[in-house]
Amino acid sequence: LTDAPAPVEPASSVNIDLKPKAELQTLGEGKVYLSLPDEFNRAWGLAERAILDAGIIIDGQDRTKGIYNVTYSGQKTDEKKKGLLSKLKFWGDKEEKAYQVSLTGVGKKTELVVLNENGDWANQDEATLILTLLQEQYNSQ
Protein backbone atom coordinates (compact mmCIF):
# COMPACT_ATOMS: atom_id res chain seq x y z
CA LEU A 1 0.00 0.00 0.00
CA THR A 2 1.23 3.46 -0.87
CA ASP A 3 0.33 6.60 0.94
CA ALA A 4 -2.17 8.41 -1.27
CA PRO A 5 -2.23 12.20 -1.07
CA ALA A 6 -5.14 13.79 0.75
CA PRO A 7 -8.01 14.78 -1.51
CA VAL A 8 -7.89 18.37 -2.72
CA GLU A 9 -10.89 20.65 -2.30
CA PRO A 10 -12.41 21.66 -5.65
CA ALA A 11 -11.65 25.28 -6.53
CA SER A 12 -15.34 26.12 -6.63
CA SER A 13 -15.76 25.49 -2.89
CA VAL A 14 -12.92 27.81 -1.87
CA ASN A 15 -14.02 31.34 -1.04
CA ILE A 16 -11.58 33.58 -2.91
CA ASP A 17 -13.58 36.82 -2.55
CA LEU A 18 -12.10 38.42 0.56
CA LYS A 19 -13.39 41.96 -0.15
CA PRO A 20 -15.46 43.24 2.77
CA LYS A 21 -19.15 43.61 1.96
CA ALA A 22 -21.77 46.21 2.75
CA GLU A 23 -23.87 45.01 5.68
CA LEU A 24 -27.39 45.92 6.79
CA GLN A 25 -27.36 47.08 10.43
CA THR A 26 -30.21 47.72 12.89
CA LEU A 27 -30.08 50.43 15.54
CA GLY A 28 -33.43 49.59 17.10
CA GLU A 29 -36.50 51.82 17.27
CA GLY A 30 -37.14 51.10 13.57
CA LYS A 31 -33.83 52.54 12.38
CA VAL A 32 -31.72 50.63 9.87
CA TYR A 33 -28.65 51.60 7.87
CA LEU A 34 -26.07 50.12 5.54
CA SER A 35 -22.47 49.87 6.76
CA LEU A 36 -20.16 50.32 3.76
CA PRO A 37 -16.59 48.93 3.96
CA ASP A 38 -15.08 51.93 2.15
CA GLU A 39 -14.01 55.41 3.19
CA PHE A 40 -16.35 58.26 2.19
CA ASN A 41 -14.74 59.34 -1.10
CA ARG A 42 -14.76 55.82 -2.55
CA ALA A 43 -18.16 54.96 -1.04
CA TRP A 44 -19.72 58.11 -2.57
CA GLY A 45 -18.99 56.97 -6.13
CA LEU A 46 -19.84 53.32 -5.48
CA ALA A 47 -23.10 54.32 -3.80
CA GLU A 48 -24.08 56.46 -6.80
CA ARG A 49 -23.51 53.51 -9.11
CA ALA A 50 -25.48 51.20 -6.77
CA ILE A 51 -28.39 53.68 -6.67
CA LEU A 52 -28.54 53.88 -10.46
CA ASP A 53 -28.08 50.11 -10.92
CA ALA A 54 -30.97 49.53 -8.48
CA GLY A 55 -33.24 51.55 -10.77
CA ILE A 56 -33.54 54.47 -8.38
CA ILE A 57 -33.55 57.93 -9.97
CA ILE A 58 -31.09 60.53 -8.68
CA ASP A 59 -32.78 63.94 -8.72
CA GLY A 60 -29.87 65.85 -7.22
CA GLN A 61 -26.88 65.54 -4.94
CA ASP A 62 -24.83 67.53 -2.46
CA ARG A 63 -21.51 65.83 -1.82
CA THR A 64 -20.53 68.33 0.90
CA LYS A 65 -23.59 67.22 2.91
CA GLY A 66 -23.31 63.59 1.75
CA ILE A 67 -26.86 63.59 0.34
CA TYR A 68 -28.38 62.10 -2.79
CA ASN A 69 -31.97 63.22 -3.45
CA VAL A 70 -33.68 60.27 -5.10
CA THR A 71 -37.03 59.04 -6.36
CA TYR A 72 -37.98 55.41 -5.85
CA SER A 73 -40.87 53.89 -7.77
CA GLY A 74 -41.76 51.31 -5.15
CA GLN A 75 -40.91 48.23 -7.20
CA LYS A 76 -41.17 45.14 -5.08
CA THR A 77 -39.05 42.02 -5.53
CA ASP A 78 -42.17 40.01 -6.46
CA GLU A 79 -42.48 42.06 -9.69
CA LYS A 80 -39.90 39.76 -11.25
CA LYS A 81 -42.55 37.02 -11.21
CA LYS A 82 -45.18 38.99 -13.15
CA GLY A 83 -46.00 38.16 -16.74
CA LEU A 84 -45.08 40.18 -19.82
CA LEU A 85 -48.42 42.03 -20.00
CA SER A 86 -48.14 43.08 -16.36
CA LYS A 87 -44.64 44.42 -16.97
CA LEU A 88 -45.86 46.47 -19.93
CA LYS A 89 -48.50 48.17 -17.79
CA PHE A 90 -46.94 51.51 -16.94
CA TRP A 91 -49.84 53.08 -15.08
CA GLY A 92 -51.29 52.30 -11.72
CA ASP A 93 -49.64 50.40 -8.91
CA LYS A 94 -46.20 52.06 -8.71
CA GLU A 95 -46.05 54.97 -6.32
CA GLU A 96 -43.05 57.23 -6.72
CA LYS A 97 -41.68 58.63 -3.47
CA ALA A 98 -38.88 61.05 -2.76
CA TYR A 99 -36.10 60.06 -0.38
CA GLN A 100 -32.67 61.21 0.66
CA VAL A 101 -29.78 58.76 0.70
CA SER A 102 -27.32 60.08 3.26
CA LEU A 103 -23.68 58.98 3.51
CA THR A 104 -21.52 59.74 6.55
CA GLY A 105 -17.85 58.85 6.75
CA VAL A 106 -16.91 57.05 9.97
CA GLY A 107 -13.17 56.46 9.93
CA LYS A 108 -12.35 54.00 7.15
CA LYS A 109 -16.03 53.05 6.72
CA THR A 110 -19.17 54.86 5.65
CA GLU A 111 -22.73 54.66 6.92
CA LEU A 112 -25.58 54.95 4.43
CA VAL A 113 -29.04 55.91 5.70
CA VAL A 114 -32.35 56.30 3.87
CA LEU A 115 -34.23 59.42 4.97
CA ASN A 116 -37.67 60.66 3.95
CA GLU A 117 -37.96 63.81 1.84
CA ASN A 118 -37.95 65.94 5.03
CA GLY A 119 -34.61 64.53 6.20
CA ASP A 120 -36.03 62.28 8.94
CA TRP A 121 -35.41 58.53 9.18
CA ALA A 122 -37.57 56.75 6.60
CA ASN A 123 -40.15 54.16 7.60
CA GLN A 124 -38.32 50.93 8.54
CA ASP A 125 -40.02 48.76 5.91
CA GLU A 126 -39.36 51.25 3.11
CA ALA A 127 -35.78 51.88 4.26
CA THR A 128 -35.05 48.15 4.55
CA LEU A 129 -36.35 47.52 1.03
CA ILE A 130 -34.22 50.30 -0.48
CA LEU A 131 -31.15 49.42 1.61
CA THR A 132 -31.41 45.77 0.57
CA LEU A 133 -31.48 46.80 -3.10
CA LEU A 134 -28.48 49.09 -2.57
CA GLN A 135 -26.61 46.42 -0.61
CA GLU A 136 -27.06 43.92 -3.44
CA GLN A 137 -25.82 46.40 -6.05
CA TYR A 138 -22.97 47.74 -3.90
CA ASN A 139 -21.65 44.25 -3.18
CA SER A 140 -21.81 43.22 -6.84
CA GLN A 141 -19.37 45.98 -7.89
Side-chain angles (χ1 to χ4, degrees):
L1 289 179
T2 61
D3 289 335
V8 177
E9 286 283 321
S12 63
S13 70
V14 178
N15 185 5
I16 297 173
D17 185 11
L18 299 176
K19 180 185 175 223
K21 300 288 186 183
E23 296 179 356
L24 196 61
Q25 303 288 325
T26 303
L27 290 174
E29 298 179 21
K31 296 179 179 178
V32 292
Y33 70 96
L34 199 56
S35 176
L36 307 177
D38 300 298
E39 53 82 28
F40 179 85
N41 288 328
R42 178 166 168 74
W44 178 261
L46 292 172
E48 180 173 347
R49 192 163 136 201
I51 292 167
L52 294 172
D53 289 349
I56 300 171
I57 298 166
I58 297 176
D59 300 315
Q61 57 184 286
D62 185 340
R63 186 180 174 123
T64 59
K65 293 181 180 178
I67 299 284
Y68 285 101
N69 294 305
V70 301
T71 301
Y72 178 64
S73 66
Q75 294 173 331
K76 304 273 191 269
T77 54
D78 61 339
E79 288 195 19
K80 295 177 185 173
K81 298 176 185 174
K82 289 185 179 179
L84 178 60
L85 291 177
S86 297
K87 290 179 184 177
L88 292 176
K89 180 182 170 190
F90 54 87
W91 65 93
D93 55 3
K94 290 184 184 178
E95 179 185 343
E96 290 187 349
K97 284 185 83 175
Y99 294 95
Q100 295 178 10
V101 175
S102 173
L103 282 78
T104 304
V106 182
K108 293 184 178 185
K109 294 186 177 188
T110 303
E111 294 178 352
L112 185 151
V113 177
V114 175
L115 307 171
N116 64 25
E117 62 186 326
N118 299 320
D120 299 319
W121 287 80
N123 166 292
Q124 182 178 4
D125 292 337
E126 294 171 359
T128 300
L129 177 65
I130 293 169
L131 290 171
T132 301
L133 289 170
L134 294 178
Q135 177 185 25
E136 182 179 301
Q137 296 303 322
Y138 196 94
N139 287 340
S140 69
Q141 298 181 61

